[in-house]
Amino acid sequence: MSDRHVAELGRLWYQLRTAVRRAPSYQPNLIHMDLVEDDDDMRDPIVSSSARDDAVDRLRCLNRCLRFKHEAFALAVNILDRFLSIMKVRMRFLGCLTITSYFIAINILEENQELPTPVHLLRVSQCRCTEADLFRMEGIICQKLCHDFGAVTPLTLLQLYHRICTLTGIMDAVLAKKKLTPAEHLEQTIAKLEACLCRHSFTKFTAPVLALSLLMCELEVFDTENSAPELYDTLTTLKVA
């Protein structure tokens, strides 16, 4: 390994340790969504886990349509889930909350891109809220999350793990078997991770655990079925294991 690769590997390990240490601060907790509660307004119920999953799945399609970074989608989901972790939200606000989370994410991460105006974003997303609603929701989100949007997401960890495995040669056999470049393989694995992010059941796993387990399944060196049966069952359900 060249001196340049050694230096890069050292930098990656430092970034990984820092990310793993920071990740718990941004871990959502949506377990309350699985609890059955009496709701005094059945015409406008509290957001359920399935409604959250549908909203995130639509957001994934929107991000692909607009061709923004994977990081923008991952951050938007993190913002949405962290908000849902601390606030009970009625269904009539879910669309506005979801698109506003995305609006915040793309404005943070896509500074070099031509960003859609709020009106255009609302139109292409088919969200029924107004521009004023979006800005009002943005203020609420910023207040509740203390303007802290530097989240460590499962994608953050996956990219670091993948780069380290590539540099150290751990990925060589998998890449040769699948006839893929590291970039192509990472893109495929990110697609699987995004499928996981669309299912609230994966939020029970920390970002480091989810990212590393997904990559280890790709490497076929981790017996997920025996080591983490609950995670294995969920991955298998999504057919990403």
Side-chain angles (χ1 to χ4, degrees):
M1 186 178 295
S2 67
D3 291 343
R4 181 174 61 85
H5 284 165
V6 171
E8 182 179 0
L9 190 59
R11 177 179 58 81
L12 288 169
W13 276 116
Y14 174 78
Q15 291 178 351
L16 179 60
R17 288 195 298 270
T18 302
V20 170
R21 185 171 64 250
R22 293 180 59 232
S25 299
Y26 301 97
Q27 180 69 30
N29 181 6
L30 302 181
I31 191 170
H32 63 279
M33 285 188 162
D34 293 323
L35 302 178
V36 178
E37 298 183 7
D38 293 332
D39 197 333
D40 56 2
D41 188 357
M42 296 308 298
R43 292 174 299 178
D44 184 25
I46 293 172
V47 172
S48 64
S49 55
S50 60
R52 175 266 179 204
D53 291 353
D54 289 342
V56 174
D57 200 25
R58 290 193 297 271
L59 188 59
R60 176 175 57 159
C61 295
L62 177 64
N63 194 58
R64 289 178 176 177
C65 177
L66 296 177
R67 298 183 178 180
F68 285 136
K69 299 174 182 175
H70 297 295
E71 289 85 350
F73 171 70
L75 178 57
V77 174
N78 181 266
I79 293 171
L80 173 66
D81 285 346
R82 284 163 58 206
F83 190 90
L84 291 174
S85 296
I86 60 175
M87 300 293 294
K88 290 184 178 180
V89 178
R90 294 286 175 181
M91 279 297 299
R92 70 178 183 273
F93 298 119
L94 179 58
C96 185
L97 173 60
T98 303
I99 200 62
T100 304
S101 299
Y102 186 61
F103 177 73
I104 293 171
I106 62 176
N107 275 276
I108 291 173
L109 297 174
E110 302 285 353
E111 65 278 0
N112 296 324
Q113 300 290 330
E114 185 176 344
L115 296 176
T117 65
V119 172
H120 178 67
L121 185 61
L122 291 171
R123 184 167 60 249
V124 297
S125 67
Q126 298 182 330
C127 182
R128 296 179 180 179
C129 68
T130 65
E131 184 178 12
D133 293 333
L134 186 149
F135 287 129
R136 190 180 305 113
M137 183 64 76
E138 181 183 22
I140 295 171
I141 293 173
C142 289
Q143 178 188 16
K144 295 301 181 181
L145 299 186
C146 302
H147 294 264
D148 188 357
F149 303 119
V152 174
T153 69
L155 178 59
T156 308
L157 277 302
L158 178 62
Q159 290 169 325
L160 289 170
Y161 289 141
H162 194 278
R163 182 57 182 157
I164 289 172
C165 289
T166 301
L167 272 181
T168 54
I170 295 174
M171 295 292 305
D172 290 352
V174 173
L175 296 176
K177 179 181 178 180
K178 297 188 176 183
K179 298 180 180 178
L180 297 172
T181 65
E184 290 170 339
H185 183 266
L186 177 59
E187 192 70 18
Q188 287 188 2
T189 311
I190 288 175
K192 295 179 179 182
L193 176 61
E194 289 186 344
C196 294
L197 295 180
C198 292
R199 300 295 178 267
H200 77 283
S201 54
F202 282 100
T203 61
K204 70 183 69 173
F205 304 108
T206 65
V209 168
L210 177 57
L212 185 58
S213 298
L214 190 57
L215 184 58
M216 297 298 268
C217 287
E218 285 290 298
L219 293 172
E220 300 177 352
V221 295
F222 178 47
D223 186 1
T224 323
E225 185 172 10
N226 293 322
S227 303
E230 188 176 8
L231 179 58
Y232 176 83
D233 289 343
T234 317
L235 288 169
T236 302
T237 300
L238 284 173
K239 298 181 180 179
V240 299

